[in-house]
Amino acid sequence: MSTEQLTPMPTDWQRALAIVAHPDDLEYGVSAAIARWTDEGRTVAYLLATVGEAGIDGIAPEECGPLRAREQWAAAAEVGVDSVEFLDHRDGVIEYGIGLRRDFAAAIRRHRPELVITLNHHDTWGGVAWNTPDHRAVGRAVLDAVGDAGNRWIFPDLAEQGLEPWNGVRHVAVAGSPHPSHAVDATAGAERAVRSLLAHRSYIEALTDEEPETYCRTFLEGTMAAAGKRFGGRPAVSFELFSR
């Protein structure tokens, strides 16, 4: 594991769009950074490819999807986010392809962010555990859609619908990457990050027998402390950053 120090995230942006696969993807760490950014007056919007309907074994998808969407709204509110959108891709079987890139390019043109955030697109989580197909497909499609959003001749029907090309994305930040390069001090957002993850109570109660708040706090404090070892000892959220 690298011991090279992480660089502070750039601040030359005002609007961010976070694009992930499922409810709870952003709450496993990223929300601490988002809380800090919204405190600074920056705008962050969420776009989720699914409603996470296949995420809880004991709850049928038609009941689970609306439940997890409600929990995602509550989780976003804890860190100052009031824009949450869901696409209609099927949880667990998202496919990388033209349709996914188009959906994300459309969202980028609509929100016109300078920063795009997504989740680990690599094959593994640090070489320890295999990453899921949904995360890999969404993360890779997001990276490609940033370029698609700025090209008038890719998905020309979007411009016909009033979504003009947007070349204003300066940075793409990949959370949970096994190759982090940058970080955000999570000190001020840590408690809200715990509450944000705890908002996914139905999912967490199905995931673990541990008391939900203890689980959320232990997990987040552990990941933030691990990133902080390469960020001056401060609790941190790490990102792999691609700048344009």
Side-chain angles (χ1 to χ4, degrees), residues 185-206:
D185 188 327
T187 305
E191 282 302 315
R192 280 170 290 167
V194 171
R195 296 199 301 270
S196 188
L197 179 55
L198 189 57
H200 295 283
R201 184 174 287 271
S202 299
Y203 178 75
I204 291 166
E205 288 178 345

Side-chain angles (χ1 to χ4, degrees), residues 157-210:
D157 58 306
L158 295 180
E160 295 169 4
Q161 297 170 24
L163 295 173
E164 289 296 321
W166 174 246
N167 261 316
V169 176
R170 297 192 183 104
H171 312 284
V172 182
V174 179
S177 170
H179 310 295
S181 56
H182 290 66
V184 173
D185 188 327
T187 305
E191 282 302 315
R192 280 170 290 167
V194 171
R195 296 199 301 270
S196 188
L197 179 55
L198 189 57
H200 295 283
R201 184 174 287 271
S202 299
Y203 178 75
I204 291 166
E205 288 178 345
L207 184 69
T208 177
D209 292 331
E210 194 173 356

